[in-house]
Amino acid sequence: GFYKVSPISRVEVRRAGNGLSIDISGQIAAPRPFYAVPLGADRFAVQGNAAVTHFAMDAGGHANRLDIEVNGHDALDAPRIDKAEAARIEAALAARLAMQKPYPGSEKALQLLLSDPAGGAGMSVDLARIRVQQKASREAYLARLGPVQSYTFAGVNKFGNDVYKVEHAHGMETVTLVVERDGTLLSAFRHR
């Protein structure tokens, strides 16, 4: 079946041999389908990964939610949707890729990220939690790059993320981000 992650991201689960093929569109963290083997009637271990997929079942025994845990932490909780809704999500991602325009509030969200705030105001709960966990490594990374000199919107990548090129005093980095309709910074990835 299909499960909704966001307005431009869905999960498609299919039977494959003794397990499941799980394909997540519009997610940079899952660039290709993965295979999961059964651990029980509604739990599956993702091969080559520390992830476990669990299906919440309704009273009739049908899956109505998909949960994925990675290293014991909730990574995804997605409600089941029908094929028509999955097609609308795919169409929305395709339209976003064709338009190549940033999310509304994208530049403001980038500025928030680049200011490296101590708190999580303006960010999703998950992003704020991850930033706390990565504080020491992030601060060392940013110290090597030095202050921000300029940034440029570079387009929308195949996952639907806004991509910015950020010039620092001592090097360039690429920042990809997803912004909610209310301007909340949902997720961000930084790399050189």
Short mmCIF file of all heavy atoms in Angstrom, two decimals, residues 2 18 20 42 54 71-72 92 102 114 138 144 152 157:
data_model
loop_
_atom_site.label_atom_id
_atom_site.label_comp_id
_atom_site.label_asym_id
_atom_site.label_seq_id
_atom_site.Cartn_x
_atom_site.Cartn_y
_atom_site.Cartn_z
N PHE A 2 0.19 2.39 0.16
CA PHE A 2 0.84 3.69 0.13
C PHE A 2 0.65 4.40 1.47
O PHE A 2 -0.38 4.24 2.13
CB PHE A 2 0.24 4.56 -0.98
CG PHE A 2 0.46 4.01 -2.36
CD1 PHE A 2 -0.53 3.26 -2.98
CD2 PHE A 2 1.64 4.24 -3.03
CE1 PHE A 2 -0.34 2.75 -4.25
CE2 PHE A 2 1.84 3.73 -4.31
CZ PHE A 2 0.85 2.98 -4.92
N ASN A 18 10.29 -13.06 0.21
CA ASN A 18 9.85 -13.34 1.56
C ASN A 18 9.64 -12.08 2.39
O ASN A 18 9.24 -12.14 3.53
CB ASN A 18 10.87 -14.25 2.27
CG ASN A 18 10.38 -14.74 3.61
OD1 ASN A 18 9.20 -15.03 3.79
ND2 ASN A 18 11.28 -14.79 4.58
N LEU A 20 9.58 -7.36 2.01
CA LEU A 20 8.92 -6.20 1.43
C LEU A 20 9.94 -5.30 0.74
O LEU A 20 11.06 -5.15 1.20
CB LEU A 20 8.24 -5.37 2.53
CG LEU A 20 7.18 -6.05 3.37
CD1 LEU A 20 6.75 -5.14 4.51
CD2 LEU A 20 5.99 -6.44 2.51
N ASP A 42 3.86 -8.10 11.86
CA ASP A 42 3.75 -6.69 11.46
C ASP A 42 5.05 -5.91 11.62
O ASP A 42 5.06 -4.69 11.58
CB ASP A 42 2.63 -6.01 12.24
CG ASP A 42 2.87 -6.03 13.74
OD1 ASP A 42 3.88 -6.59 14.20
OD2 ASP A 42 2.03 -5.47 14.48
N HIS A 54 7.40 -1.09 11.22
CA HIS A 54 6.27 -1.66 11.94
C HIS A 54 4.99 -1.12 11.32
O HIS A 54 4.90 0.06 11.00
CB HIS A 54 6.34 -1.27 13.42
CG HIS A 54 5.13 -1.64 14.19
ND1 HIS A 54 4.13 -0.73 14.49
CD2 HIS A 54 4.72 -2.82 14.72
CE1 HIS A 54 3.18 -1.34 15.17
NE2 HIS A 54 3.51 -2.60 15.32
N ASN A 71 17.83 2.97 14.85
CA ASN A 71 18.61 2.95 16.08
C ASN A 71 17.74 3.25 17.30
O ASN A 71 18.15 3.98 18.20
CB ASN A 71 19.78 3.94 16.00
CG ASN A 71 20.80 3.53 14.96
OD1 ASN A 71 21.10 2.35 14.80
ND2 ASN A 71 21.32 4.50 14.23
N GLY A 72 16.53 2.73 17.30
CA GLY A 72 15.63 2.90 18.44
C GLY A 72 14.89 4.22 18.49
O GLY A 72 14.14 4.47 19.42
N ALA A 92 2.57 16.37 -7.30
CA ALA A 92 3.03 17.57 -6.60
C ALA A 92 4.56 17.64 -6.59
O ALA A 92 5.14 18.71 -6.80
CB ALA A 92 2.49 17.60 -5.17
N PRO A 102 11.98 28.16 -4.94
CA PRO A 102 12.11 27.83 -3.52
C PRO A 102 10.77 27.83 -2.79
O PRO A 102 9.81 28.47 -3.23
CB PRO A 102 13.02 28.94 -2.98
CG PRO A 102 12.87 30.06 -3.93
CD PRO A 102 12.56 29.45 -5.27
N LEU A 114 21.73 29.30 9.14
CA LEU A 114 23.09 29.85 9.07
C LEU A 114 23.47 30.64 10.32
O LEU A 114 24.65 30.76 10.64
CB LEU A 114 23.24 30.73 7.83
CG LEU A 114 23.13 30.01 6.48
CD1 LEU A 114 23.23 31.00 5.33
CD2 LEU A 114 24.18 28.91 6.34
N ARG A 138 28.91 19.87 14.64
CA ARG A 138 28.46 21.01 13.82
C ARG A 138 29.30 22.24 14.10
O ARG A 138 29.73 22.95 13.18
CB ARG A 138 26.98 21.29 14.08
CG ARG A 138 26.42 22.41 13.21
CD ARG A 138 24.96 22.72 13.51
NE ARG A 138 24.78 23.38 14.79
CZ ARG A 138 24.29 22.83 15.89
NH1 ARG A 138 23.86 21.59 15.87
NH2 ARG A 138 24.17 23.51 17.00
N ARG A 144 35.64 25.57 10.96
CA ARG A 144 36.56 25.38 9.81
C ARG A 144 36.14 26.23 8.62
O ARG A 144 36.97 26.74 7.89
CB ARG A 144 36.63 23.91 9.41
CG ARG A 144 37.42 23.04 10.37
CD ARG A 144 37.69 21.64 9.82
NE ARG A 144 36.50 20.90 9.45
CZ ARG A 144 35.74 20.19 10.28
NH1 ARG A 144 36.05 20.13 11.56
NH2 ARG A 144 34.68 19.54 9.86
N THR A 152 23.42 31.55 -2.47
CA THR A 152 22.66 31.61 -3.71
C THR A 152 21.73 30.41 -3.79
O THR A 152 22.16 29.28 -3.52
CB THR A 152 23.60 31.58 -4.94
OG1 THR A 152 24.57 32.60 -4.80
CG2 THR A 152 22.85 31.75 -6.23
N ASN A 157 16.34 19.97 -5.78
CA ASN A 157 16.92 18.67 -6.15
C ASN A 157 15.83 17.63 -6.40
O ASN A 157 14.64 17.91 -6.22
CB ASN A 157 17.94 18.19 -5.11
CG ASN A 157 17.33 17.84 -3.76
OD1 ASN A 157 16.12 17.68 -3.60
ND2 ASN A 157 18.19 17.72 -2.76
#
